[in-house]
Amino acid sequence: MNATSFLNPAPGRKGATSAKPGPWQRLVALGDSFTAGLGDPEPRNPGGMRGWADRIAEELSAARGDFAYANLAISGLVLQQIVDQQLGPAIALKPDLITLSAGGNDLVFHRRDPDRLAAALDEAVAVLAATGATIVLFTGPDWGETPVFGHIRGKVAVFNENIRTIAARHHGVIADLWTMRQLSDPRMWDPDRLHFSPLGHHTIAGMVLDTLHVPHSLRPLQPKPLPDRNWRETRASDLAWATHYLLPWMVHRARPRAGNGPAAPKRPEAGPVFGVLGQAAQP
C-alpha cells in the first residue's frame, strides 16, 4: 500500500473521532541510533531504549490486535551500511509500513557529499517502494547556528531537499524534522546534544502519527509512560530479555573476542509490540 492510497490532503488531528486508524498491519523501522531510540532509556524495552519508533508502534498496535513491529536500527551506521545490512531483512519481513532514516552519521561525522548520499538513498527507496509498502522518510533537524553543528547546516538543508524529491518520486511520506520549531527547545535533546531526549522522541512520534493522519493519544509536552503489563506479559518479556540480551552480554564479557560482528538490531523479528521477542507474527 503506497502513501497516496490512504493519506488525505487535510491535516491530521490528534484524537479525531472521525479519522480512521491506520490500515497498516506490519511496521519495520530502518536506521541508526535515532531510530533505535538512543536518548530515551527504558529498561523494559529491547536494547534498553524506547524511542519514537516504539512509541508510534504502541499507538498503531492499540488500533488492531494483529499489528506487528520490527526495528532493525543499529547505532552508528552510515547510510550505505543501513542499505547493505537492513534492506534485505526488512523486505523479507513483508511490511506494509516502512520508516527509513539514514545519512545523519555521514553528514555529521564524515562530512560526505549530500548529493551523493541522496543518490544512494534514492536507489534504496526505489527498492522499498516496489514492495507496495508506505515509506516514511525523515529530513534532518535544523541545529541552527550552533557551535558544533552550524558548519554542516547547509549540507543538511541540501540533503533535505533531495529527500523531499525522493519522497515525491516514490510516493513516500515526509516526516519533517527540519520544520519542527519545537525542537529548538533544549528539553527535546539528550545531554549529548546529538540525540533526542524522551520528550523529543515523544514529540517526534506525535509528528509522525499526525503526518500519517492516524489518531493517537500522544499530547504535546506530556510524554506517555510505557503501558503497564499484566504478569504474563511481564514474565514473558523478562525471559525474552534475558535470552536475547543478558545472556549474550554475559558470554561476551566472559569470552571477549576480536572481530565480533556489529551490534544486533533492536527488534529483528516482526512481532507484537509487547509480545515475546523473536516470536514473529505470521505474514
Side-chain angles (χ1 to χ4, degrees), residues 79 113-123 159 162-163 166:
L79 189 151
D113 179 77
D115 293 314
R116 292 186 178 181
L117 284 176
L121 181 64
D122 188 26
E123 293 179 2
F159 190 47
N162 278 309
I163 291 173
I166 293 168

Side-chain angles (χ1 to χ4, degrees), residues 179-195:
T179 62
M180 293 183 70
R181 296 301 94 186
Q182 58 268 52
L183 295 185
S184 62
D185 187 330
R187 294 176 297 171
M188 299 287 177
W189 294 88
D190 185 78
D192 69 5
R193 300 182 184 182
L194 179 62
H195 299 96

